[in-house]
């Protein structure tokens, strides 16, 4: 059995985590100006280099807004954030998304998955259908929530790739962490068989090249998790 190498967080990592926690908890309010780098370094007992690089990273992730020669301000991260911002929010919430974020991701998935199906079905080839069916067959062989969720993600990512739209698989892959989190929660609430069945039925419609039924299948499944009989948030 192999074990993963353990790595201690750097001072920069600890600095970033501390400020993210203060921002997400509301201790640092949106629009609030941070103390100077010198003051932060002295208060937190780290070097100015750690503070400088940490602030730059927090700015890149959408948590801070840096105004040259004026200072760093807490940004409206929900308006200006990135996928990394969402992942930080998940970590702050113990790995769980808030209801509003869950609903938003599911609504976005309807748009992305519908486009993938519409573009994919007219051009998909037999060997590509076999690739999709391969993921479904592997799902049927596992009793692991994590494995089933990963296979479902691979199925959807492959579908996005087969659409021929070069941006769709990139966009879908950028949501990998939260999407896996949602599928794992779905499996815990309703069982792996429910996820397998949904994916299998969608695959069958794709094989039959029935665009209308495929779209109806995926939109019904996702809407059920938003406000239907299989909600994954309350």
């Amino acid at each position: 059995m192999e074990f993963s190498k353990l790595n201690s967080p750097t001072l920069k990592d600890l600095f970033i985590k501390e400020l993210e926690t203060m921002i997400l908890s509301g201790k640092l309010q949106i629009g609030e100006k941070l103390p100077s780098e010198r003051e932060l370094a002295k208060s937190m007992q780290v070097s100015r280099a750690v503070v400088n690089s940490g602030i730059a990273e927090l700015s890149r992730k959408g948590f801070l807004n840096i105004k040259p020669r004026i200072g760093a301000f807490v940004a409206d991260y929900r308006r200006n954030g990135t996928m990394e911002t969402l992942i930080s929010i998940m970590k702050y919430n113990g790995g769980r998304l808030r209801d509003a974020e869950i609903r938003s991701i599911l609504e976005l998935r309807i748009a992305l998955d519908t486009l993938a199906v519409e573009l994919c079905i007219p051009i998909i080839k037999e060997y590509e259908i076999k690739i999709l069916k391969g993921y479904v067959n592997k799902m049927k062989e596992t009793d692991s929530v994590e494995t089933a969720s990963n296979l479902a993600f691979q199925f959807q990512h492959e579908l996005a790739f087969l659409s021929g739209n070069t941006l769709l698989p990139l966009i879908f892959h950028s949501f990998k962490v939260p999407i896996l989190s949602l599928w794992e929660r779905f499996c815990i609430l309703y069982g792996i068989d429910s996820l397998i069945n949904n994916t299998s039925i969608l695959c069958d419609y794709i094989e039959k090249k029935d665009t209308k039924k495929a779209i109806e299948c995926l939109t019904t499944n996702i809407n059920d998790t938003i406000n239907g009989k299989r909600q994954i948030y309350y």
Side-chain angles (χ1 to χ4, degrees), residues 10-115:
T10 64
L11 287 175
K12 176 185 172 181
D13 294 334
L14 292 173
F15 174 84
I16 291 171
K17 183 178 180 181
E18 177 65 17
L19 261 69
E20 284 182 351
T21 298
M22 293 179 73
I23 292 170
L24 292 170
S25 67
K27 289 182 180 179
L28 285 173
Q29 296 289 320
I30 292 173
E32 184 174 344
K33 183 181 179 182
L34 295 186
S36 68
E37 291 186 4
R38 185 185 301 276
E39 291 173 308
L40 282 171
K42 182 179 180 180
S43 174
M44 301 179 77
Q45 299 183 31
V46 294
S47 69
R48 285 191 64 183
V50 167
V51 173
N52 182 269
S53 60
I55 285 176
E57 181 75 6
L58 287 162
S59 174
R60 187 182 65 80
K61 293 173 72 173
F63 285 108
L64 294 178
N65 180 23
I66 301 174
K67 298 181 179 180
R69 296 183 297 278
I70 299 177
F73 297 79
V74 178
D76 186 347
Y77 56 88
R78 293 188 180 276
R79 183 182 294 273
N80 303 308
T82 65
M83 281 304 301
E84 287 184 278
T85 315
L86 180 59
I87 292 170
S88 293
I89 292 171
M90 288 178 63
K91 289 179 179 177
Y92 174 72
N93 290 329
R96 298 179 70 86
L97 288 162
R98 297 172 184 171
D99 290 353
E101 282 121 20
I102 292 174
R103 186 182 185 94
S104 297
I105 290 174
L106 292 173
E107 289 172 343
L108 184 58
R109 272 203 56 211
I110 290 177
L112 295 176
D113 292 357
T114 297
L115 179 58

Side-chain angles (χ1 to χ4, degrees), residues 30 38 64 88 110 129 133 154 188 191 196 203 218 232:
I30 292 173
R38 185 185 301 276
L64 294 178
S88 293
I110 290 177
I129 292 173
K133 292 174 72 174
Q154 291 177 58
I188 291 170
I196 295 171
C203 189
L218 70 87
I232 56 176

Side-chain angles (χ1 to χ4, degrees), residues 195-214:
L195 180 60
I196 295 171
N197 187 57
N198 289 348
T199 309
S200 180
I201 292 173
L202 176 59
C203 189
D204 287 343
Y205 286 134
I206 292 171
E207 183 176 16
K208 295 174 183 176
K209 298 195 173 183
D210 191 333
T211 303
K212 182 179 178 181
K213 286 289 187 180

